[in-house]
Amino acid sequence: MSIYKANHKNILLAADEIKHGGLVGFPTETVYGLGADGMNSTAVAKIFETKNRPTFNPLILHINSVEQLDSIAKINNAKTNILINNFWPGPLTLVLKKKECIPDIVTAGNDTVAVRMPANKTALELIYLAETPIAAPSANVFGKLSPTTAFHVEEQLGDKVDVILDGGKCKVGVESTILKISENEVILLRPGGLSVEKIETALNEKIIRKNISEEIISPGLLKSHYAPEIPIRFIDDINLDDYRNQNVGVLLFDRNSYNFDFKEIKYLSKNGQLREAAANLFVYLHEFENANLDLIVCEKINPVGLGSAIMDRLEKAVNKYS
Ligand code: TXA
Ligand code: MG
């Protein structure tokens, strides 16, 4: 994959890739993003696969207008509006209550969504032409440095991305500042390109800094997070015969794995495609949660590629009940 200069023709080409479920490396003012259609869970699963992320960390949705924000998040307080008016577009991400339409793989099952409007012409035009919020983490391989030039993206992800748009070097060069806003407080989840002092001046209040190890910052690191409301166990860890008379939902990887006579069986991917399995995981767990079951049992997934993120998610859920 080669790099495309970020002119109108090539941004159009990149937008078309996004519309068709592809991956695009694109510039923002902070760092380069690895973008996909934020409303398409299979496309979002590709992001995790490509970055080799071992967990489903929630992603930031990138938008180009306040109208677009209305379609994905609920804004219920004045502080949010002050921050938007002062700092968007810019290196500020807001964690807000999400609307139903957002696929669970974007938010990793949380009821909040992280949103930002980047201050970069190419990024804004790309979102506009793709006609969808773009989900994007930094365009680096998991654990490696964030890219601030198109060349960095090519070096790390070159052959796995459909288009890389070259918009030059990122002006800010560090990731966005992330704030979580609730009724009573504003919490700093990640320091970044917008200074805390500027935020405090705009709001005329002190914001709370949370340590990176606290639950709210890195939910994905907790041993038992993202668990469904009803018990979930691994098939290998129980004797299924003990549960014959109960309402059990069975979550299997593909058609080939087990043979059961339980009524509620869901296959993450009938043909054993990890990408499809990842896209279905949160959806099926939510469906089971609402199906009046006593127990969910799930199959262990080979932790290779996206399988490790799926397994991480399942282990955290199971840990809550064991
Ligand atoms: O500058 C940036 O923010 C860049 C550019 C590409 O926009 N993006 C970026 O994304 O840094 P990423 O995925 O590397 O970092 C996003 C962070 C993660 O630490 C994630 O845990 C947090 O945002 N996050 C996302 N959604 C969240 C949520 N609902 N609640 C709490 N944290 C959230
Ligand atoms: Mg990152």
Side-chain angles (χ1 to χ4, degrees):
M1 170 63 254
S2 59
I3 295 175
Y4 291 75
K5 197 168 183 303
N7 55 31
H8 178 71
K9 182 172 139 265
N10 290 334
I11 299 174
L12 205 56
L13 178 88
D16 203 51
E17 287 292 347
I18 298 272
K19 282 185 174 177
H20 291 93
L23 291 185
V24 171
F26 68 100
T28 80
E29 79 281 35
T30 58
V31 299
Y32 273 72
L34 177 64
D37 178 354
M39 297 295 129
N40 175 341
S41 34
T42 311
V44 173
K46 263 193 220 171
I47 293 178
F48 290 102
E49 182 178 51
T50 302
K51 279 190 65 117
N52 239 328
R53 261 200 189 179
T55 56
F56 293 116
N57 241 350
L59 299 175
I60 297 171
L61 286 183
H62 296 70
I63 58 168
N64 75 332
S65 69
V66 176
E67 292 72 52
Q68 204 173 28
L69 177 66
D70 282 337
S71 67
I72 55 174
K74 300 175 198 161
I75 301 170
N76 49 8
N77 64 53
K79 285 178 204 169
T80 308
N81 285 317
I82 294 174
L83 292 169
I84 290 172
N85 290 335
N86 276 280
F87 301 119
W88 276 7
L92 172 68
T93 295
L94 299 175
V95 174
L96 303 167
K97 280 260 169 233
K98 72 158 209 171
K99 286 195 173 160
E100 276 300 302
C101 59
I102 302 174
D104 282 314
I105 191 166
V106 171
T107 62
N110 288 285
D111 61 358
T112 53
V113 61
V115 190
R116 89 179 189 95
M117 193 189 294
N120 178 287
K121 254 181 24 227
T122 300
L124 292 173
E125 188 177 352
L126 177 67
I127 300 161
Y128 175 74
L129 293 173
E131 299 173 86
T132 186
I134 294 182
S138 45
N140 52 288
V141 174
F142 175 76
K144 298 219 167 142
L145 285 181
S146 292
T148 52
T149 66
F151 177 68
H152 293 159
V153 181
E154 192 186 37
E155 252 180 349
Q156 293 198 33
L157 303 171
D159 50 341
K160 299 178 187 136
V161 183
D162 296 301
V163 171
I164 298 170
L165 287 173
D166 184 355
K169 190 161 163 275
C170 298
K171 288 211 171 85
V172 175
V174 294
E175 283 91 344
S176 61
T177 302
I178 305 182
L179 295 180
K180 179 164 181 169
I181 304 154
S182 63
E183 286 289 297
N184 311 315
E185 49 183 24
V186 179
I187 301 166
L188 178 70
L189 296 185
R190 180 177 75 184
L194 179 66
S195 80
V196 170
E197 291 75 13
K198 279 194 180 156
I199 297 165
E200 288 179 335
T201 303
L203 290 177
N204 197 20
E205 74 174 59
K206 287 271 166 213
I207 65 178
I208 298 164
R209 293 150 213 247
K210 289 248 166 163
N211 189 286
I212 197 90
S213 63
E214 285 175 67
E215 167 173 4
I216 197 156
I217 297 173
S218 40
L221 293 180
L222 289 182
K223 214 170 148 236
S224 67
H225 201 79
Y226 309 148
E229 296 292 311
I230 47 175
I232 172 165
R233 311 288 303 272
F234 283 119
I235 292 169
D236 296 355
D237 297 346
I238 60 171
N239 182 359
L240 264 185
D241 284 331
D242 297 345
Y243 297 90
R244 288 285 156 200
N245 300 321
Q246 296 190 25
N247 285 327
V248 177
V250 183
L251 189 63
L252 298 179
F253 178 47
D254 61 16
R255 283 252 185 215
N256 298 322
S257 25
Y258 291 74
N259 212 345
F260 288 124
D261 53 0
F262 282 100
K263 204 170 72 204
E264 281 275 11
I265 299 184
K266 292 185 191 291
Y267 299 93
L268 285 171
S269 168
K270 288 188 173 127
N271 307 319
Q273 300 292 316
L274 281 169
R275 202 177 284 168
E276 189 190 14
N280 285 332
L281 177 68
F282 290 100
V283 179
Y284 289 174
L285 286 175
H286 276 292
E287 284 175 8
F288 273 156
E289 201 171 34
N290 296 321
N292 210 8
L293 301 172
D294 301 310
L295 178 73
I296 300 168
V297 293
C298 60
E299 179 182 3
K300 287 189 175 162
I301 308 247
N302 189 12
V304 169
L306 266 185
S308 74
I310 299 174
M311 206 33 201
D312 167 82
R313 172 67 176 74
L314 289 173
E315 273 170 344
K316 281 183 180 127
V318 167
N319 274 337
K320 182 173 171 186
Y321 296 99
S322 54

